[in-house]
Amino acid sequence: MTTELARYAVSEATSRGRDYAEAEPSARSEFQRDRDRIIHSTAFRRLEYKTQVFVNHEGDLFRTRLTHSIEVAQITRTIARTLALNEDLAEAIALAHDLGHTPFGHAGQSALNDCMRPHGGFEHNLQSLRTVDTLETHYADFDGLNLMYETREGILKHCSRENAAQLGALGERFLTNRQPGLEAQLANLADEIAYNNHDIDDGLRSGLITLEQLAEVEVFAAQRRIVATKHPGLGGRRLIHETIRRMVNLMVLDLLEQTRANIAAHGVETLDDVHGAPRLVAYSDPLRPQLLELKRFLRDNLYHHYQVLRMTDKAKRIVKDLFAAFKADPRLLPPEYQLRARDDTARAIADYIAGMTDRYAMKEHRRLFAVGEIH
Ligand code: MG
């Protein structure tokens, strides 16, 4: 940590620590160690081949879950440093926030949730926590990554009351309406800043949405007007990039200013004040409806574009077929998951499917269902 932490930041000194006691790290902070463990995890490497919006093989330039997570981390770090929050913690949460995502983006998650409904459901946030708590098995002394409490708290950004009740201390805040630290709140909104902007970029690149359509979205149109004034005649990719980078900047600065104002308005001085106050990391009142408008635009025109829906429809079928085949005969699972299946078959299947990359899921589907190929 280079700068001094604000009093309301999470610090090692006040941390609730790790479940399994370990010697202090040398040459790095405890939260840097968390970040490093996340980057060295198998689940992190898999993010490269998991869909954000576009399936991995559709084009080399679209965001994947990995490049998305890196963008979230970069935005999170900038804001954390400016507010004198714990930058290492904020970065660790951002890098880990999507580790539990299924193949094929939200389509995969909703299909798996449908399959798991009779067995306790499937939530990707909870799965991210499960990944770092139990599914990564590389360390001699413990299962999972044995991360700091506050990193785990940040990874679990949403949780149903039912699931929260089974999570002990970590689930408590969902039942008592307390807020996580500012680093966690921040990573959550940085996620939104990243995808709202890169989905416009990828959407335009794919040709599924157009600049003409975006003229009706105020937050985009306003920045585009500024670019047109500063750089008359600019077009193509440069125009798009100049507009989007200004949008990212606008959202980051708005968030910074509003968050500072909220911290002051609620008289927040300590970390305990943060837990007891309403959510402090937030956009300003004028920006919020504009971002809602942008989200609605992306939903109606990109996420629900017929070409995207065809892809997501197929993705759901792949996930459901895989689940049904393994459920009908768990002996089709690889040996390590058969072992897990002894305790809870459905959960072991969900773990196996959630861990798959897009292309692995497609390959596994071919192995199980392509009658022309038997091997
Ligand atoms: Mg995300």
Side-chain angles (χ1 to χ4, degrees):
M1 201 61 49
T2 45
T3 48
E4 197 151 317
L5 289 180
R7 271 183 72 208
Y8 42 72
V10 171
S11 71
E12 280 182 31
T14 57
S15 167
R16 294 168 78 164
R18 303 180 191 277
D19 274 355
Y20 182 90
E22 292 187 67
E24 265 179 42
S26 43
R28 56 183 175 166
S29 73
E30 293 281 9
F31 292 106
Q32 278 179 294
R33 172 147 77 179
D34 279 9
R35 176 205 57 199
D36 299 349
R37 285 183 178 178
I38 290 159
I39 288 179
H40 288 287
S41 70
T42 310
F44 188 73
R45 287 193 296 281
R46 287 180 175 148
L47 294 176
E48 183 174 3
Y49 300 104
K50 289 193 177 197
T51 294
Q52 184 65 28
V53 173
F54 295 90
V55 179
N56 183 260
H57 61 262
E58 289 184 299
D60 291 348
L61 297 180
F62 297 127
R63 268 67 173 190
T64 64
R65 288 242 170 244
L66 180 63
T67 57
H68 161 72
S69 299
I70 293 171
E71 289 186 27
V72 175
Q74 157 247 348
I75 292 168
T76 303
R77 287 182 58 193
T78 300
I79 301 174
R81 193 182 297 188
T82 310
L83 291 174
L85 298 175
N86 192 321
E87 185 179 333
D88 296 331
L89 166 62
E91 182 183 17
I93 295 170
L95 289 172
H97 85 281
D98 270 350
L99 287 181
H101 253 292
T102 60
F104 311 119
H106 286 280
Q109 122 107 11
S110 91
L112 195 51
N113 190 30
D114 287 346
C115 299
M116 286 296 288
R117 224 176 284 279
H119 315 285
F122 179 88
E123 296 178 31
H124 70 262
N125 281 301
L126 200 56
Q127 190 69 12
S128 295
L129 182 69
R130 196 168 153 73
T131 304
V132 300
D133 276 359
T134 56
L135 296 178
E136 288 284 326
T137 49
H138 304 303
Y139 295 85
D141 293 328
F142 43 80
D143 278 350
L145 306 179
N146 194 34
L147 300 180
M148 299 284 276
Y149 180 89
E150 293 76 10
T151 310
R152 298 169 59 234
E153 173 187 70
I155 291 172
L156 191 66
K157 65 179 168 189
H158 309 292
C159 183
S160 66
R161 292 180 70 87
E162 239 179 333
N163 285 325
Q166 293 169 23
L167 284 172
L170 208 60
E172 236 165 67
R173 73 180 168 89
F174 298 96
L175 306 171
T176 55
N177 261 333
R178 306 236 325 151
Q179 300 300 330
L182 290 169
E183 291 82 356
Q185 296 185 33
L186 176 53
N188 194 1
L189 284 193
D191 182 23
E192 220 180 272
I193 295 179
Y195 69 68
N196 276 333
N197 287 290
H198 66 48
D199 287 354
I200 297 178
D201 190 36
D202 284 352
L204 287 168
R205 191 185 297 278
S206 67
L208 298 185
I209 57 172
T210 63
L211 280 173
E212 291 65 43
Q213 285 176 306
L214 277 162
E216 66 189 59
V217 181
E218 183 51 28
V219 68
F220 183 90
Q223 297 309 309
R224 191 183 164 182
R225 281 195 294 273
I226 295 172
V227 176
T229 311
K230 284 193 174 236
H231 309 282
L234 193 70
R237 296 284 334 154
R238 283 183 203 254
L239 166 69
I240 294 169
H241 185 77
E242 282 293 336
T243 305
I244 293 177
R245 79 179 182 98
R246 281 180 166 75
M247 286 173 61
V248 175
N249 207 41
L250 172 93
M251 292 177 199
V252 167
L253 295 181
D254 181 273
L255 192 77
L256 259 174
E257 201 177 314
Q258 188 60 49
T259 302
R260 274 201 190 107
N262 290 347
I263 289 171
H266 291 279
V268 168
E269 286 180 6
T270 66
L271 181 56
D272 202 52
D273 294 342
V274 172
H275 293 313
R279 285 211 158 226
L280 296 164
V281 179
Y283 303 110
S284 67
D285 284 344
L287 188 61
R288 220 173 302 128
Q290 292 191 31
L291 295 183
L292 261 182
E293 185 192 28
L294 170 60
K295 278 189 169 189
R296 241 178 259 132
F297 172 85
L298 285 170
R299 187 195 57 204
D300 295 345
N301 298 285
L302 181 62
Y303 312 143
H304 290 177
H305 189 286
Y306 84 98
Q307 284 178 348
V308 174
L309 288 180
R310 284 180 181 195
M311 181 277 282
T312 53
D313 187 62
K314 203 191 287 184
K316 283 184 185 173
R317 212 164 307 133
I318 291 175
V319 167
K320 288 186 176 178
D321 283 351
L322 289 176
F323 190 90
F326 294 128
K327 192 76 178 52
D329 189 353
R331 291 174 309 169
L332 301 180
L333 286 166
E336 71 213 83
Y337 288 95
Q338 287 195 33
L339 271 181
R340 288 185 183 279
R342 282 188 203 159
D343 299 331
D344 185 342
T345 310
R347 189 58 59 191
I349 297 170
D351 287 342
Y352 182 43
I353 294 176
M356 292 178 185
T357 61
D358 296 351
R359 58 185 186 179
Y360 186 88
M362 289 188 275
K363 205 167 159 189
E364 191 73 333
H365 191 269
R366 275 199 302 278
R367 278 191 208 116
L368 291 166
F369 292 95
V371 283
E373 313 168 20
I374 293 187
H375 47 91

